[in-house]
Short mmCIF file of all heavy atoms in Angstrom, two decimals:
data_model
loop_
_atom_site.label_atom_id
_atom_site.label_comp_id
_atom_site.label_asym_id
_atom_site.label_seq_id
_atom_site.Cartn_x
_atom_site.Cartn_y
_atom_site.Cartn_z
N ALA A 21 -9.74 -3.15 0.01
CA ALA A 21 -10.48 -4.39 0.26
C ALA A 21 -9.67 -5.34 1.14
O ALA A 21 -10.22 -5.98 2.05
CB ALA A 21 -10.82 -5.07 -1.07
N THR A 22 -8.37 -5.41 0.91
CA THR A 22 -7.52 -6.28 1.71
C THR A 22 -7.48 -5.81 3.16
O THR A 22 -7.59 -6.62 4.09
CB THR A 22 -6.09 -6.32 1.12
OG1 THR A 22 -6.17 -6.80 -0.23
CG2 THR A 22 -5.18 -7.22 1.92
N ILE A 23 -7.33 -4.52 3.36
CA ILE A 23 -7.31 -3.97 4.72
C ILE A 23 -8.65 -4.22 5.42
O ILE A 23 -8.69 -4.61 6.59
CB ILE A 23 -6.95 -2.48 4.70
CG1 ILE A 23 -5.47 -2.31 4.31
CG2 ILE A 23 -7.24 -1.82 6.05
CD1 ILE A 23 -5.07 -0.89 3.98
N SER A 24 -9.75 -4.03 4.69
CA SER A 24 -11.08 -4.28 5.26
C SER A 24 -11.22 -5.75 5.67
O SER A 24 -11.73 -6.05 6.76
CB SER A 24 -12.17 -3.93 4.26
OG SER A 24 -12.12 -2.56 3.95
N GLY A 25 -10.77 -6.64 4.81
CA GLY A 25 -10.82 -8.07 5.13
C GLY A 25 -9.99 -8.42 6.34
O GLY A 25 -10.40 -9.22 7.19
N CYS A 26 -8.82 -7.80 6.44
CA CYS A 26 -7.95 -8.04 7.60
C CYS A 26 -8.62 -7.57 8.88
O CYS A 26 -8.59 -8.28 9.90
CB CYS A 26 -6.61 -7.32 7.42
SG CYS A 26 -5.56 -8.04 6.16
N LEU A 27 -9.20 -6.39 8.84
CA LEU A 27 -9.85 -5.86 10.03
C LEU A 27 -11.04 -6.73 10.45
O LEU A 27 -11.22 -7.00 11.63
CB LEU A 27 -10.30 -4.41 9.80
CG LEU A 27 -9.17 -3.40 9.64
CD1 LEU A 27 -9.73 -2.03 9.26
CD2 LEU A 27 -8.33 -3.32 10.90
N LEU A 28 -11.80 -7.20 9.48
CA LEU A 28 -12.91 -8.09 9.78
C LEU A 28 -12.41 -9.39 10.40
O LEU A 28 -12.91 -9.86 11.41
CB LEU A 28 -13.73 -8.39 8.52
CG LEU A 28 -14.84 -9.42 8.68
CD1 LEU A 28 -15.91 -8.89 9.64
CD2 LEU A 28 -15.45 -9.76 7.34
N CYS A 29 -11.38 -9.95 9.79
CA CYS A 29 -10.81 -11.21 10.26
C CYS A 29 -10.27 -11.05 11.68
O CYS A 29 -10.49 -11.91 12.54
CB CYS A 29 -9.69 -11.64 9.31
SG CYS A 29 -8.99 -13.26 9.68
N LEU A 30 -9.59 -9.96 11.94
CA LEU A 30 -9.00 -9.75 13.27
C LEU A 30 -10.04 -9.43 14.34
O LEU A 30 -9.77 -9.56 15.52
CB LEU A 30 -7.95 -8.64 13.20
CG LEU A 30 -6.70 -9.00 12.41
CD1 LEU A 30 -5.80 -7.78 12.25
CD2 LEU A 30 -5.93 -10.14 13.06
N SER A 31 -11.23 -9.03 13.92
CA SER A 31 -12.27 -8.69 14.89
C SER A 31 -13.07 -9.93 15.33
O SER A 31 -13.90 -9.83 16.22
CB SER A 31 -13.23 -7.65 14.31
OG SER A 31 -14.02 -8.22 13.29
N GLN A 32 -12.81 -11.05 14.72
CA GLN A 32 -13.52 -12.29 15.04
C GLN A 32 -12.55 -13.30 15.64
O GLN A 32 -11.42 -13.41 15.18
CB GLN A 32 -14.16 -12.88 13.78
CG GLN A 32 -15.06 -11.94 13.02
CD GLN A 32 -16.26 -11.52 13.83
OE1 GLN A 32 -16.88 -12.33 14.50
NE2 GLN A 32 -16.59 -10.24 13.78
N CYS A 33 -13.01 -14.05 16.62
CA CYS A 33 -12.12 -15.04 17.26
C CYS A 33 -11.58 -16.04 16.25
O CYS A 33 -10.41 -16.38 16.29
CB CYS A 33 -12.88 -15.78 18.37
SG CYS A 33 -13.28 -14.73 19.76
N TRP A 34 -12.43 -16.49 15.33
CA TRP A 34 -11.98 -17.49 14.37
C TRP A 34 -10.96 -16.93 13.39
O TRP A 34 -10.22 -17.66 12.77
CB TRP A 34 -13.15 -18.12 13.60
CG TRP A 34 -14.18 -17.15 13.12
CD1 TRP A 34 -15.37 -16.86 13.72
CD2 TRP A 34 -14.12 -16.31 11.96
NE1 TRP A 34 -16.05 -15.90 13.01
CE2 TRP A 34 -15.31 -15.55 11.92
CE3 TRP A 34 -13.19 -16.13 10.95
CZ2 TRP A 34 -15.59 -14.63 10.92
CZ3 TRP A 34 -13.46 -15.22 9.95
CH2 TRP A 34 -14.64 -14.48 9.94
N GLY A 35 -10.90 -15.62 13.27
CA GLY A 35 -9.96 -15.00 12.35
C GLY A 35 -8.55 -14.90 12.91
O GLY A 35 -7.58 -14.87 12.15
N LEU A 36 -8.43 -14.87 14.22
CA LEU A 36 -7.11 -14.69 14.83
C LEU A 36 -6.16 -15.84 14.53
O LEU A 36 -4.96 -15.64 14.37
CB LEU A 36 -7.26 -14.50 16.34
CG LEU A 36 -8.02 -13.26 16.76
CD1 LEU A 36 -8.18 -13.21 18.28
CD2 LEU A 36 -7.33 -12.00 16.26
N TYR A 37 -6.67 -17.05 14.44
CA TYR A 37 -5.82 -18.20 14.16
C TYR A 37 -5.20 -18.10 12.76
O TYR A 37 -4.05 -18.48 12.56
CB TYR A 37 -6.64 -19.49 14.29
CG TYR A 37 -5.88 -20.73 13.90
CD1 TYR A 37 -4.99 -21.32 14.77
CD2 TYR A 37 -6.06 -21.31 12.64
CE1 TYR A 37 -4.29 -22.45 14.42
CE2 TYR A 37 -5.35 -22.44 12.28
CZ TYR A 37 -4.48 -23.02 13.17
OH TYR A 37 -3.78 -24.14 12.81
N PHE A 38 -5.96 -17.56 11.82
CA PHE A 38 -5.50 -17.51 10.43
C PHE A 38 -4.74 -16.23 10.08
O PHE A 38 -4.10 -16.15 9.04
CB PHE A 38 -6.70 -17.67 9.48
CG PHE A 38 -7.34 -19.02 9.58
CD1 PHE A 38 -8.42 -19.23 10.40
CD2 PHE A 38 -6.83 -20.09 8.87
CE1 PHE A 38 -8.99 -20.48 10.52
CE2 PHE A 38 -7.39 -21.34 8.97
CZ PHE A 38 -8.48 -21.54 9.80
N ALA A 39 -4.83 -15.23 10.94
CA ALA A 39 -4.20 -13.94 10.65
C ALA A 39 -2.70 -14.04 10.35
O ALA A 39 -2.24 -13.42 9.39
CB ALA A 39 -4.45 -12.97 11.80
N PRO A 40 -1.93 -14.81 11.11
CA PRO A 40 -0.49 -14.88 10.78
C PRO A 40 -0.21 -15.37 9.37
O PRO A 40 0.74 -14.93 8.74
CB PRO A 40 0.06 -15.86 11.82
CG PRO A 40 -0.87 -15.75 12.97
CD PRO A 40 -2.23 -15.53 12.34
N PHE A 41 -1.07 -16.24 8.85
CA PHE A 41 -0.86 -16.69 7.47
C PHE A 41 -1.28 -15.62 6.48
O PHE A 41 -0.49 -15.21 5.63
CB PHE A 41 -1.60 -17.99 7.17
CG PHE A 41 -1.46 -18.39 5.73
CD1 PHE A 41 -0.29 -18.98 5.28
CD2 PHE A 41 -2.46 -18.12 4.81
CE1 PHE A 41 -0.12 -19.31 3.94
CE2 PHE A 41 -2.31 -18.45 3.47
CZ PHE A 41 -1.14 -19.04 3.04
N PHE A 42 -2.53 -15.16 6.58
CA PHE A 42 -3.06 -14.25 5.57
C PHE A 42 -2.40 -12.87 5.56
O PHE A 42 -2.27 -12.26 4.51
CB PHE A 42 -4.58 -14.10 5.71
CG PHE A 42 -5.34 -15.32 5.28
CD1 PHE A 42 -6.11 -16.03 6.18
CD2 PHE A 42 -5.28 -15.76 3.97
CE1 PHE A 42 -6.81 -17.16 5.78
CE2 PHE A 42 -5.97 -16.89 3.56
CZ PHE A 42 -6.74 -17.59 4.47
N VAL A 43 -2.01 -12.36 6.73
CA VAL A 43 -1.40 -11.03 6.76
C VAL A 43 0.10 -11.08 7.05
O VAL A 43 0.73 -10.05 7.21
CB VAL A 43 -2.10 -10.09 7.77
CG1 VAL A 43 -3.54 -9.86 7.37
CG2 VAL A 43 -1.99 -10.60 9.19
N GLY A 44 0.64 -12.27 7.11
CA GLY A 44 2.07 -12.41 7.38
C GLY A 44 2.76 -13.27 6.35
O GLY A 44 3.38 -12.77 5.42
N VAL A 45 2.59 -14.56 6.48
CA VAL A 45 3.28 -15.52 5.62
C VAL A 45 2.98 -15.26 4.14
O VAL A 45 3.90 -15.18 3.32
CB VAL A 45 2.91 -16.97 6.00
CG1 VAL A 45 3.52 -17.96 5.02
CG2 VAL A 45 3.36 -17.28 7.42
N ALA A 46 1.71 -15.10 3.81
CA ALA A 46 1.34 -14.90 2.40
C ALA A 46 1.90 -13.60 1.84
O ALA A 46 2.16 -13.49 0.65
CB ALA A 46 -0.18 -14.93 2.25
N GLU A 47 2.09 -12.61 2.71
CA GLU A 47 2.59 -11.31 2.26
C GLU A 47 4.09 -11.29 1.98
O GLU A 47 4.61 -10.32 1.45
CB GLU A 47 2.23 -10.23 3.27
CG GLU A 47 0.75 -9.94 3.34
CD GLU A 47 0.17 -9.50 2.00
OE1 GLU A 47 0.80 -8.68 1.30
OE2 GLU A 47 -0.91 -9.99 1.64
N VAL A 48 4.77 -12.37 2.31
CA VAL A 48 6.21 -12.44 2.02
C VAL A 48 6.46 -12.24 0.53
O VAL A 48 7.43 -11.59 0.13
CB VAL A 48 6.80 -13.78 2.52
CG1 VAL A 48 8.21 -14.01 2.00
CG2 VAL A 48 6.78 -13.83 4.04
N SER A 49 5.56 -12.75 -0.31
CA SER A 49 5.74 -12.59 -1.76
C SER A 49 5.54 -11.14 -2.21
O SER A 49 5.97 -10.77 -3.30
CB SER A 49 4.80 -13.51 -2.53
OG SER A 49 3.46 -13.14 -2.34
N SER A 50 4.93 -10.33 -1.37
CA SER A 50 4.71 -8.92 -1.72
C SER A 50 5.99 -8.09 -1.63
O SER A 50 6.08 -7.03 -2.25
CB SER A 50 3.65 -8.29 -0.82
OG SER A 50 2.41 -8.91 -1.05
N VAL A 51 6.96 -8.55 -0.87
CA VAL A 51 8.21 -7.80 -0.73
C VAL A 51 8.93 -7.70 -2.08
O VAL A 51 9.22 -6.59 -2.55
CB VAL A 51 9.11 -8.38 0.37
CG1 VAL A 51 10.45 -7.69 0.41
CG2 VAL A 51 8.40 -8.30 1.72
N PRO A 52 9.22 -8.82 -2.75
CA PRO A 52 9.85 -8.67 -4.06
C PRO A 52 8.95 -7.96 -5.08
O PRO A 52 9.45 -7.25 -5.96
CB PRO A 52 10.18 -10.10 -4.50
CG PRO A 52 9.54 -11.01 -3.54
CD PRO A 52 9.14 -10.22 -2.34
N LEU A 53 7.64 -8.13 -4.95
CA LEU A 53 6.72 -7.43 -5.86
C LEU A 53 6.86 -5.92 -5.71
O LEU A 53 6.85 -5.19 -6.70
CB LEU A 53 5.28 -7.87 -5.60
CG LEU A 53 4.21 -7.21 -6.46
CD1 LEU A 53 4.43 -7.52 -7.94
CD2 LEU A 53 2.83 -7.67 -6.01
N SER A 54 7.01 -5.45 -4.48
CA SER A 54 7.20 -4.01 -4.25
C SER A 54 8.48 -3.52 -4.90
O SER A 54 8.51 -2.44 -5.49
CB SER A 54 7.23 -3.72 -2.75
OG SER A 54 5.98 -4.00 -2.18
N PHE A 55 9.54 -4.32 -4.81
CA PHE A 55 10.79 -3.93 -5.46
C PHE A 55 10.64 -3.94 -6.98
O PHE A 55 11.18 -3.07 -7.67
CB PHE A 55 11.95 -4.84 -5.02
CG PHE A 55 12.50 -4.47 -3.69
CD1 PHE A 55 12.16 -5.19 -2.56
CD2 PHE A 55 13.36 -3.39 -3.55
CE1 PHE A 55 12.66 -4.84 -1.31
CE2 PHE A 55 13.87 -3.02 -2.31
CZ PHE A 55 13.52 -3.76 -1.19
N MET A 56 9.89 -4.90 -7.51
CA MET A 56 9.64 -4.92 -8.96
C MET A 56 8.92 -3.63 -9.38
O MET A 56 9.28 -3.03 -10.40
CB MET A 56 8.79 -6.14 -9.35
CG MET A 56 9.55 -7.44 -9.33
SD MET A 56 8.49 -8.89 -9.58
CE MET A 56 7.64 -8.51 -11.08
#
Side-chain angles (χ1 to χ4, degrees):
T22 301
I23 290 168
S24 298
C26 289
L27 293 174
L28 175 65
C29 185
L30 292 172
S31 71
Q32 305 297 318
C33 292
W34 45 261
L36 297 177
Y37 175 80
F38 294 95
F41 176 78
F42 288 117
V43 298
V45 175
E47 291 302 317
V48 169
S49 66
S50 295
V51 174
L53 179 61
S54 294
F55 280 101
M56 285 173 54

